[in-house]
Amino acid sequence: MSQTMRLAAVDIGTVTARMLVADVSATGITEVERRTDIVHLGQGLAASGRLSADAIERLRAVVSGYSTAIADHGVAATTAVATSASRDASNGDEMLAALASVGVEPRIIDGETEARLSFFGAAYSVTGDGLLVVDVGGGSTELIFGSSELDDGGRVCDIEAMRSIDVGSRRITEMFLASDPPTSRELDEARGYVTSQVRPFFETLRSKPRTMVSLAGAATTFSAIELELASYDSERVHLSCLTGPRLTDIIDTLSGLPLARRREVVGLHPERASVIVGGGIVIETVLALAGLDSTLVSEHDILYGILLDTYRDLRHGAETGRGEHDA
């Protein structure tokens, strides 16, 4: 099956919900509509172990809009996934039922699947050996090390190591950064904790990373701040380069501001201001442990991975006569 198919991907994270409708073929992905909404699904989860009714309702309202858009675009298949907050919550089934009521039925995926899909998405636009893909979410961070290359049959990805680690922008904020603005002690404790959680991954690698690619909202936000984007511009953010010293400078500036002033920083969405320092600490720590001085920032992330995975399954189904995608 080589024809183009219109597909939809939905990603339900700890901080954001996202949708991408695109035309997918064996040769590439053409975006039709992309939406990103900050819903803070995981707000309070660290303390309660549950998704709050208010958070589920915020998510349901947003995803209802996604469902309408997906229907309007006439997609052939929709794949929706839910990640860290949904994995951790004792009442994830309530969230699934709420979304099913508006026509979207996610599956809660494990960290390994999340990591694999993130790597496939990043590899869509970045190739080479020694590729470290870092997907910093609200509740977890996926680290994937491997290589990606193009040949006559398309993209070939080889994953050497991957791990999902329970450090993310919201989780670190709720665990350590209680003051407004956070104190030096809180920042030091957060950095120490993230280092202790992430370092074992690097100790397992047989070679050093050559290129780091950072995905998702924390990374794209730091790029937008660096580029001073009053209006978000995905084309300028995609494959932009963020150096370690500049990342640390921005974190220092943001962590020195009370939340009300942080919300006014150019390039920072006001609703992400409460968790951005925690996300920055994760990226900063991974970059230092990788022994690199900069990271690329990519817009091609787990949503691209979901679309590529769905397309592959549909193509395989057509070739074998199964003809059905199990989302």
Side-chain angles (χ1 to χ4, degrees):
M1 183 193 300
S2 59
Q3 74 268 26
T4 298
M5 289 185 284
R6 180 157 291 182
L7 304 175
V10 177
D11 171 37
I12 308 300
T14 302
V15 174
T16 60
R18 302 182 304 144
M19 178 203 76
L20 177 59
V21 175
D23 292 328
V24 186
S25 70
T27 58
I29 295 173
T30 301
E31 294 193 15
V32 175
E33 183 179 356
R34 177 191 283 263
R35 295 189 187 182
T36 299
D37 296 274
I38 298 175
V39 296
H40 291 298
L41 178 64
Q43 190 168 32
L45 176 63
S48 69
R50 294 175 58 84
L51 304 175
S52 71
D54 287 347
I56 292 174
E57 175 54 28
R58 288 195 299 268
L59 177 64
R60 188 204 63 78
V62 163
V63 174
S64 178
Y66 295 174
S67 182
T68 299
I70 288 167
D72 289 345
H73 285 301
V75 303
T78 299
T79 303
V81 304
T83 56
S84 179
S86 303
R87 287 195 294 266
D88 294 347
S90 62
N91 61 333
D93 57 333
E94 294 178 19
M95 179 274 296
L96 295 178
L99 299 192
S101 73
V102 296
V104 174
E105 300 186 23
R107 63 185 174 100
I108 299 174
I109 59 174
D110 59 30
E112 183 173 297
T113 301
E114 185 178 0
R116 177 179 62 83
L117 292 172
S118 294
F119 190 85
F120 289 168
Y124 181 81
S125 56
V126 181
T127 59
D129 297 325
L131 186 62
L132 174 65
V133 173
V134 183
D135 187 348
V136 179
S140 68
T141 293
E142 280 61 54
L143 301 175
I144 317 97
F145 182 68
S147 62
S148 171
E149 62 182 25
L150 296 173
D151 66 11
D152 292 340
R155 250 166 230 91
V156 178
C157 295
D158 180 20
I159 296 176
E160 177 183 317
M162 60 182 175
R163 187 172 299 175
S164 179
I165 303 172
D166 285 338
V167 294
S169 59
R170 174 156 292 282
R171 193 185 298 267
I172 294 304
T173 299
E174 294 191 356
M175 288 177 67
F176 296 101
L177 308 180
S179 302
D180 182 24
T183 66
S184 296
R185 180 175 179 177
E186 288 172 345
L187 293 166
D188 289 345
E189 290 178 348
R191 286 185 167 104
Y193 178 78
V194 174
T195 299
S196 71
Q197 298 302 300
V198 172
R199 179 181 282 127
F201 172 80
F202 288 96
E203 293 173 346
T204 68
L205 300 184
R206 293 176 293 179
S207 58
K208 293 183 178 181
R210 295 182 179 180
T211 304
M212 175 168 152
V213 183
S214 298
L215 314 179
T220 57
T221 294
F222 277 99
S223 175
I225 293 171
E226 170 69 351
L227 295 169
E228 299 182 342
L229 299 180
S231 297
Y232 191 78
D233 186 338
S234 60
E235 291 186 1
R236 291 188 63 189
V237 168
H238 183 54
L239 297 185
S240 60
C241 181
L242 189 62
T243 68
R246 185 63 185 130
L247 175 60
T248 298
D249 286 345
I250 297 173
I251 294 171
D252 288 346
T253 297
L254 295 176
S255 63
L257 298 174
L259 179 57
R261 290 186 58 196
R262 207 180 306 148
R263 291 179 185 274
E264 299 172 353
V265 172
V266 175
L268 173 56
H269 191 295
E271 290 302 312
R272 197 180 291 277
S274 62
V275 298
I276 190 60
V277 173
I281 287 173
V282 177
I283 300 171
E284 175 191 53
T285 301
V286 173
L287 186 60
L289 290 173
L292 298 172
D293 57 12
S294 65
T295 179
L296 295 175
V297 176
S298 178
E299 286 276 6
H300 296 164
D301 52 24
I302 191 172
L303 289 172
Y304 270 57
I306 293 168
L307 292 175
L308 293 168
D309 205 50
T310 302
Y311 181 82
R312 182 199 63 190
D313 285 353
L314 289 171
R315 184 174 62 184
H316 177 71
E319 291 171 351
T320 59
R322 180 168 56 87
E324 183 176 340
H325 174 64
D326 180 7

